[in-house]
Amino acid sequence: MITLITHTMFLLPFLVAFVSCNAPPVPTDDIIIEKTFTPEQCVRAVQSGDYVRYHYNGMFPDGKKFDSSYDRGSTYNVFVGRRQLIAGMDKALLGMCVNERRLVKIPPQLAYGKDGYGDIIPPNSILHFDVLLLDIWNTEDQVQINTYHRPEHCGRKVQVSDYVRYHYNGTLLDGTLFDSSHTRMRTYDTYVGIGWLIAGMDQGLLGMCVGERRTVTMPPSLGYGENGDGSDIPPQASLVFDVVLLDLHNPKDDIAVEVQHLPDPCPRKSAVGDFMRYHYNGSLLDGTFFDSSYSRNRTYDTYVGKGYVIAGMDQGLLGVCIGERRRVTIPPHLAYGEEGTGTKIPGSAVLVFDVHVIDFHNPSDTVTITSTKPEACSPISKNGDYVKYHYNASLLDGTDIDSTYRYGKTYNVVLGAGQVIIGMEQGLMGMCVGEKRRLVIPPHLGYGERGVDGEVPGSAVLVFDVELIEMEEGLPEGYMYVWNEDVSPDLFVEMDRNKDGQIDPSEFSDYIFKQVNEGRGRLAPGFDPNRLVENMFSNQDRNKDGRITEAEFRLKADEAAHDEL
């Protein structure tokens, strides 16, 4: 082609030269077209007025080359049908598809005629052109969008000023790849509709849903124009972007909460300062999983509204009910921001948490008691009483922990003796036999932050359904033994059976147990009676010589500092 429009272009990685040494004669009245390659799909064919980019080899019928765009490393770029080409080439390009290849034989009168072209093309020359069409567009063209996958649910579409994260493959119209975010293993992240992108992509991304896939085809005027990008995109190139949208938010976004299950009743909702245990699955907006408490088989435990978690989660956990399930969608400025976490959460990522609230409490909480009492409810339990009760124990979400019913025997404790957790001790006070109570015990009155390995999780709120079966009145505080009748004035003499002036352990214990058996005295209920008597003897044996003398012997009423007789 002699009347060349020269531009800097890149050389395609293939060059097939058509050589015809003994070309057949051609008619002298019109061109002859041989289609040497026809693509399977032809979305568009060249019409008069279109702008095209193509490669060619120009040859004489004997195969001698006189010109080649390949040799210059640049396509030939021109309008068709505007007499910018020889007449035969203007005709030959009509109806061509991108990637189509033609061998065109042009008679002299449709080429350079009887004058030829200088020293390059002799007069009356028949010309052969091996043409490969690479690009086609029209000055009237706009962005073309082909959506080939749309997700079933699309809660929101891209609008002007939204920030998006997407993957793409960028190709020329002939399929030549010039760029791909996939090869960099990193999304392209940008604002839409405010000029941060080429105009065609700004238009092509609008209206997309997360998970949607589309091809965006744009003419050069909406891409990189007359100059290309200076490297991989040639001048006047149509561009095709295969895009999948992964993420979408607006800097003005707040969290979005979707309640998926709301328990009824809900006696209390979480507030700032509560301590919460919850399970969650965390994913990106396109569904990519990044974390789960379930996989660790342990709840996530934290204070709410105090800055212990990302700001969006702090908001999303307020006002929830125990047992509630909700989906919390958090924009990046309320999550991990532009930097992400450096591992599973990319920068500027919207996060989705599917949350199940297991329990929560406040450090100021006390034991909550719900009671069902018999008509006659007296006496009631107090410190020192020995009580026998049945219980079913569970977590606040209903998970069973333990039950006395399964063992067929009651649980027996002395109130005020520290034999059960503080919350249970408080919950058992003031009960009467036959009364039933539900006790909700916060962890600081239960098993605390550590819980019970394999049974009670750390920081767990406990629920006990309690029934008081039997109660024995305890002794006054500080007493291990009390008299049911007046104390003998000869108590020491009565204990000293061998009359040696001192009491040994056997004399002491025999005497005390005899009083108990005959109903004249009573040991503190709920404790090992032998240990109680041993402690009583030890308290009386002040010099610790294993004997009690009359000088050592004291009654409780005589010396309030001791817990004996």
Side-chain angles (χ1 to χ4, degrees):
M1 200 71 56
I2 306 304
T3 55
L4 299 179
I5 301 175
T6 58
H7 298 284
T8 302
M9 307 297 291
F10 65 91
L11 183 63
L12 290 175
F14 59 89
L15 172 62
V16 180
F18 178 84
V19 178
S20 178
C21 297
N22 298 301
V26 297
T28 59
D29 57 343
D30 204 354
I31 64 173
I32 291 178
I33 296 175
E34 296 178 10
K35 296 183 178 182
T36 56
F37 177 78
T38 302
E40 291 185 7
Q41 293 183 336
C42 181
V43 177
R44 177 176 182 174
V46 176
Q47 298 180 11
S48 182
D50 284 342
Y51 193 90
V52 296
R53 293 192 308 111
Y54 62 94
H55 267 304
Y56 71 89
N57 283 317
M59 301 162 289
F60 296 115
D62 63 358
K64 181 180 178 181
K65 184 168 63 176
F66 62 82
D67 192 17
S68 173
S69 63
Y70 296 101
D71 293 344
R72 293 189 299 275
S74 161
T75 56
Y76 196 78
N77 310 334
V78 69
F79 281 100
V80 177
R82 295 187 181 182
R83 297 186 178 183
Q84 295 180 1
L85 295 162
I86 57 175
M89 187 59 78
D90 249 351
K91 292 182 65 175
L93 292 172
L94 293 174
M96 282 193 79
C97 306
V98 172
N99 287 327
E100 183 179 340
R101 192 164 191 169
R102 292 181 174 184
L103 175 61
V104 183
K105 301 173 182 179
I106 304 177
Q109 68 271 21
L110 296 178
Y112 293 96
K114 62 181 181 179
D115 296 325
Y117 190 87
D119 297 332
I120 300 174
I121 298 178
N124 297 312
S125 293
I126 298 172
L127 304 182
H128 291 186
F129 289 92
D130 181 8
V131 180
L132 174 63
L133 188 67
L134 300 180
D135 200 345
I136 173 176
W137 54 271
N138 193 282
T139 53
E140 302 298 320
D141 285 349
Q142 299 297 319
V143 172
Q144 299 175 41
I145 295 172
N146 174 35
T147 297
Y148 61 92
H149 173 74
R150 189 186 300 274
E152 184 176 348
H153 301 288
C154 180
R156 177 174 177 176
K157 297 180 179 180
V158 176
Q159 299 178 2
V160 172
S161 81
D162 282 343
Y163 193 88
V164 297
R165 296 192 309 111
Y166 62 94
H167 270 304
Y168 70 89
N169 287 320
T171 62
L172 304 180
L173 207 58
D174 67 337
T176 301
L177 181 71
F178 63 79
D179 192 19
S180 174
S181 63
H182 296 282
T183 60
R184 294 190 296 274
M185 298 182 68
R186 182 175 181 179
T187 56
Y188 195 83
D189 309 339
T190 186
Y191 287 97
V192 177
I194 61 173
W196 284 32
L197 293 162
I198 54 176
M201 188 58 85
D202 251 352
Q203 296 178 31
L205 292 173
L206 291 174
M208 283 194 80
C209 307
V210 171
E212 182 176 336
R213 295 174 180 267
R214 57 170 57 172
T215 55
V216 180
T217 305
M218 62 193 72
S221 59
L222 299 176
Y224 288 90
E226 296 181 1
N227 299 318
D229 71 344
S231 57
D232 296 321
I233 299 175
Q236 300 288 22
S238 300
L239 304 180
V240 181
F241 289 91
D242 192 333
V243 179
V244 54
L245 186 66
L246 301 183
D247 203 340
L248 159 67
H249 77 278
N250 194 282
K252 297 178 181 178
D253 285 349
D254 202 346
I255 66 168
V257 174
E258 175 190 348
V259 176
Q260 298 167 322
H261 171 71
L262 188 64
D264 184 21
C266 176
R268 173 176 173 180
K269 294 186 177 182
S270 60
V272 172
D274 284 343
F275 191 87
M276 182 177 294
R277 297 192 311 115
Y278 63 95
H279 271 303
Y280 70 88
N281 285 319
S283 62
L284 305 181
L285 204 56
D286 67 339
T288 302
F289 169 85
F290 65 79
D291 192 22
S292 174
S293 63
Y294 295 100
S295 63
R296 295 187 293 275
N297 197 29
R298 182 176 179 179
T299 56
Y300 193 85
D301 308 339
T302 187
Y303 285 96
V304 176
K306 305 287 283 186
Y308 285 82
V309 290
I310 55 176
M313 187 59 86
D314 244 358
Q315 295 179 34
L317 294 174
L318 293 175
V320 299
C321 304
I322 292 168
E324 182 175 337
R325 294 177 183 269
R326 58 170 51 181
R327 172 168 286 183
V328 184
T329 303
I330 304 175
H333 51 274
L334 296 175
Y336 292 96
E338 296 181 2
E339 300 300 321
T341 63
T343 52
K344 295 183 179 180
I345 299 177
S348 299
V350 177
L351 306 182
V352 179
F353 289 93
D354 287 309
V355 176
H356 180 204
V357 179
I358 304 301
D359 73 24
F360 60 81
H361 72 280
N362 195 280
S364 63
D365 285 350
T366 57
V367 177
T368 302
I369 300 174
T370 306
S371 178
T372 303
K373 298 182 179 182
E375 290 186 8
C377 189
S378 180
I380 59 174
S381 57
K382 62 184 183 307
N383 261 343
D385 288 350
Y386 182 57
V387 295
K388 298 180 180 182
Y389 60 95
H390 274 303
Y391 69 82
N392 287 318
S394 63
L395 302 180
L396 210 53
D397 66 344
T399 302
D400 288 333
I401 299 175
D402 194 16
S403 174
T404 57
Y405 294 100
R406 71 180 64 160
Y407 307 119
K409 58 181 182 180
T410 58
Y411 198 83
N412 311 327
V413 299
V414 177
L415 296 181
Q419 296 174 350
V420 289
I421 56 176
I422 297 172
M424 179 60 82
E425 200 150 58
Q426 294 178 8
L428 290 171
M429 293 290 185
M431 285 189 79
C432 61
V433 172
E435 183 177 346
K436 295 181 179 180
R437 286 185 174 182
R438 167 160 284 193
L439 310 177
V440 180
I441 302 175
H444 51 274
L445 299 176
Y447 291 101
E449 294 181 5
R450 301 186 64 178
V452 178
D453 190 30
E455 296 183 54
V456 179
S459 300
V461 178
L462 305 177
V463 179
F464 285 90
D465 288 306
V466 178
E467 180 181 6
L468 189 60
I469 303 300
E470 190 176 324
M471 177 171 59
E472 184 178 347
E473 186 179 6
L475 302 188
E477 185 175 356
Y479 282 79
M480 290 182 281
Y481 173 86
V482 295
W483 295 96
N484 291 333
E485 54 187 45
D486 293 338
V487 181
S488 171
D490 299 321
L491 184 58
F492 183 84
V493 174
E494 292 175 8
M495 285 188 181
D496 183 16
R497 288 190 313 234
N498 62 8
K499 308 307 179 185
D500 63 353
Q502 55 187 2
I503 302 170
D504 63 26
S506 64
E507 290 175 321
F508 187 87
S509 63
D510 288 347
Y511 184 85
I512 294 299
F513 283 125
K514 180 181 179 183
Q515 309 310 306
V516 171
N517 291 335
E518 294 178 355
R520 289 192 290 271
R522 189 159 66 95
L523 289 167
F527 297 99
D528 181 353
N530 292 311
R531 292 294 301 274
L532 286 177
V533 173
E534 288 175 8
N535 287 337
M536 291 168 63
F537 181 87
S538 177
N539 287 343
Q540 294 290 330
D541 181 16
R542 302 173 192 278
N543 62 5
K544 307 306 176 187
D545 64 352
R547 297 286 187 271
I548 301 173
T549 66
E550 190 168 4
E552 291 175 307
F553 194 75
R554 297 285 188 277
L555 294 177
K556 180 74 173 177
D558 298 331
E559 188 171 354
H562 296 283
D563 291 336
E564 64 272 14
L565 308 174

